[in-house]
Amino acid sequence: EVQLVESGGGLVQPGGSLRLSCAASGFTFSEHYMDWVRQAPGQGLEWVGRVRNSHTTEYAASLRGRIIISRDDSENSVSLQMDRLKTEDTAVYYCVRVRGGNTWHLDYWGQGTLVTVSS
Amino acid sequence: DIQMTQSPSTLSASVGDRVIITCRASQSLGNSLAWYQQKPGKAPKPLIYKASTLESGVPLRFIGGGSGTEFTLTISSLLPDDFATYYCQQYNSYPVTFGQGTKLEIK
């Protein structure tokens, strides 16, 4: 059974940093791209970024320069480092698996971890 | 960036109704489009990918159609469990983008 479990969320002050982690299990982690998607309270879904199985990355333009997504295939984990946090970064952050093969949709989602940026 | 526009934003319907949600892309996607269902407090659940392919376990009453810039999600006969928010998502090019969502409400 595929499982994605996020951790690391919490309350952080504006300007602070936070590192989210996602532990993956139930599939061959090294074969899949992994994404982060966020959802502000009462709002829609926003793609944050991707780390490919080659460890190269893609980021949303609005976040580029403040985030780093990385992966550790030996630990089956993916991380999202966020710096210079703003109040508008308050959201539930989801770790998501990209299917791969001949489709790149998001086929498994974690339960999400809440990040609250507030003083 | 490819803009994804869903309509309507809110849809009121009754159990047994047939409903259609539309998603329009600002550029051609081919068939690189997915649909997700989200219930309050839960993670999104994938329903359809490649515009019309059902995810495993998704009931046949969910039907995806379209290609290029216009796509539809049809629910052929609503069940109580279907009242939720639906999102389309393009994965044809970076950045990945989502529609703003369609909230399906009980009439």
Side-chain angles (χ1 to χ4, degrees):
Chain A
E1 178 194 5
V2 172
Q3 286 197 326
L4 300 169
V5 180
E6 302 95 338
S7 59
L11 176 64
V12 61
Q13 291 190 337
S17 297
L18 204 60
R19 184 179 181 88
L20 305 182
S21 297
C22 170
S25 60
F27 64 101
T28 305
F29 180 76
S30 61
E31 292 182 354
H32 288 266
Y33 297 3
M34 297 297 296
D35 282 9
W36 288 93
V37 174
R38 70 181 183 180
Q39 187 169 37
Q43 302 301 308
L45 302 170
E46 180 185 14
W47 183 76
V48 171
R50 172 170 295 173
V51 59
R52 300 182 182 88
N53 50 3
S54 62
H55 294 240
T56 56
T57 53
E58 300 284 346
Y59 300 126
S62 60
L63 295 168
R64 198 174 294 133
R66 293 199 297 124
I67 66 169
I68 296 174
I69 298 175
S70 59
R71 62 189 294 157
D72 184 338
D73 291 347
S74 67
E75 296 286 335
N76 289 352
S77 66
V78 58
S79 297
L80 170 62
Q81 173 71 37
M82 299 186 292
D83 298 323
R84 301 188 301 281
L85 283 160
K86 306 174 183 180
T87 55
E88 52 264 40
D89 294 319
T90 294
V92 173
Y93 286 74
Y94 293 102
C95 170
V96 192
R97 190 183 86 162
V98 181
R99 171 69 59 85
N102 61 359
T103 177
W104 304 99
H105 74 288
L106 310 180
D107 67 346
Y108 284 93
W109 297 61
Q111 83 287 354
T113 187
L114 176 63
V115 172
T116 303
V117 184
S118 174
S119 55
Chain B
D1 298 5
I2 297 178
Q3 307 301 317
M4 305 299 294
T5 305
Q6 287 181 233
S7 59
S9 295
T10 306
L11 180 55
S12 296
S14 302
V15 172
D17 285 353
R18 176 176 173 265
V19 298
I20 300 175
I21 300 169
T22 298
C23 179
R24 290 186 173 86
S26 60
Q27 301 174 36
S28 179
L29 307 178
N31 68 350
S32 298
L33 183 110
W35 290 95
Y36 303 85
Q37 177 193 67
Q38 187 179 32
K39 296 182 178 179
K42 300 293 187 182
K45 169 189 171 184
L47 297 175
I48 287 168
Y49 62 97
K50 291 175 70 177
S52 62
T53 303
L54 236 55
E55 267 283 5
S56 174
V58 173
L60 295 177
R61 64 182 182 274
F62 291 92
I63 303 162
S67 65
T69 61
E70 187 153 337
F71 301 86
T72 56
L73 172 67
T74 301
I75 309 174
S76 59
S77 181
L78 282 170
L79 295 183
D81 190 52
D82 299 336
F83 292 95
T85 299
Y86 293 85
Y87 294 93
C88 62
Q89 175 232 345
Q90 70 82 16
Y91 51 93
N92 184 68
S93 63
Y94 293 109
V96 168
T97 46
F98 292 88
Q100 81 279 14
T102 294
K103 185 175 183 180
L104 179 54
E105 299 180 329
I106 300 175
K107 185 184 289 184

